[in-house]
Amino acid sequence: SLRDAMVAPSVLQKQALEILQEAGLAHTPEYVSPTLQSIDIFVPHLNLAIEVDGPVHFLSGRRLDGKTVAKHRLLRALGYQVRSVSARDLARNPS
């Protein structure tokens, strides 16, 4: 369905999910918060929002684009701990 296609995890998200599963960490992929914020991966007992930021989220090198920075700030303002995971991070920690 269209909704399934819209929330299908990316290859990078799948890699991050595999790492969390192997670590035995309870998590929810493609979580939608009570304030309707989309979170790539949510770890409830840590109130942790993991944002898997692929190449389109970066301006150059390691600098996140404005939209991504704003989303991370909003999630923090809503009380979430936020961690950004990049393709570079996942390459260092293959599952």
Side-chain angles (χ1 to χ4, degrees), residues 11 13-24 27 41 95:
V11 171
Q13 283 175 286
K14 287 178 184 177
Q15 286 179 293
L17 289 167
E18 286 175 12
I19 292 168
L20 292 172
Q21 287 172 330
E22 288 174 6
H27 59 280
I41 304 169
S95 55

Side-chain angles (χ1 to χ4, degrees), residues 5 8 11 13 16-19 25 32 38 46-47 53 57 62 64 72 76 79 83 85-86 92-94:
V11 171
Q13 283 175 286
L17 289 167
E18 286 175 12
I19 292 168
L25 198 58
V32 177
S38 172
L46 299 174
N47 200 41
D53 296 321
H57 293 273
R62 297 181 188 185
L64 289 168
H72 293 185
R76 284 186 185 96
R83 297 295 179 267
V85 177
S86 68
R92 284 188 216 135
N93 194 3

Side-chain angles (χ1 to χ4, degrees), residues 10-86:
S10 69
V11 171
L12 292 177
Q13 283 175 286
K14 287 178 184 177
Q15 286 179 293
L17 289 167
E18 286 175 12
I19 292 168
L20 292 172
Q21 287 172 330
E22 288 174 6
L25 198 58
H27 59 280
T28 304
E30 301 297 342
Y31 177 77
V32 177
S33 76
T35 57
L36 303 180
Q37 299 303 310
S38 172
I39 297 172
D40 291 337
I41 304 169
F42 180 56
V43 181
H45 73 280
L46 299 174
N47 200 41
L48 174 62
I50 300 173
E51 287 295 301
V52 181
D53 296 321
V56 299
H57 293 273
F58 292 87
L59 295 173
S60 62
R62 297 181 188 185
R63 192 168 153 219
L64 289 168
D65 66 17
K67 181 179 174 185
T68 302
V69 170
K71 180 179 181 183
H72 293 185
R73 285 183 183 159
L74 175 60
L75 290 171
R76 284 186 185 96
L78 292 169
Y80 295 96
Q81 293 186 65
V82 178
R83 297 295 179 267
S84 176
V85 177
S86 68

